[in-house]
Amino acid sequence: MVRKSPQPKATSSEVLECVQQNCPSCGKPMWNEYNNLRRVRTLKGVIQLLLKIRRCQNSSCERYKIKYRPEQEGSWALPQQEFGLDVIA
């Protein structure tokens, strides 16, 4: 479904980082490849999440260049959803 009005402004923001800093496959450190912004509507307001996405830089690793998202993202909202888990519940 197409959005007919702009998404509301965020009332607060959170930075989510990966708990696991090393690659689960090869054990070498993963680099912060890029940041991703996501807005989630909750009962407390609209929260803007800054997600620190990491990737393994070891070219011989089986998880080379596969993105590793912060673990806490799942406690805010379901994937590709704009409403938080508290609103859905």
Side-chain angles (χ1 to χ4, degrees):
M1 189 159 154
V2 178
R3 180 184 301 276
K4 296 187 181 192
S5 62
Q7 195 170 32
K9 301 283 185 196
T11 56
S12 64
S13 63
E14 291 279 331
V15 177
L16 302 181
E17 298 224 23
C18 296
V19 174
Q20 188 166 350
Q21 303 288 321
N22 295 330
C23 178
S25 182
C26 68
K28 292 193 177 182
M30 291 188 291
W31 293 22
N32 185 16
E33 189 76 20
Y34 61 94
N35 297 331
N36 194 3
L37 289 175
R38 180 177 181 187
R39 286 193 192 139
V40 177
R41 293 186 192 193
T42 65
L43 295 176
K44 296 179 182 177
V46 180
I47 299 173
Q48 182 165 327
L49 301 176
L50 176 66
L51 308 170
K52 304 273 186 172
I53 310 296
R54 294 184 172 271
R55 289 185 179 175
C56 182
Q57 300 297 319
N58 182 8
S59 60
S60 63
C61 179
E62 62 186 30
R63 293 189 51 89
Y64 176 65
K65 292 287 187 180
I66 295 177
K67 60 185 172 184
Y68 191 81
R69 300 176 71 89
E71 297 86 355
Q72 299 103 352
E73 182 182 11
S75 66
W76 284 95
L78 295 173
Q80 301 176 356
Q81 293 293 317
E82 131 178 28
F83 295 99
L85 294 177
D86 56 349
V87 175
I88 294 172

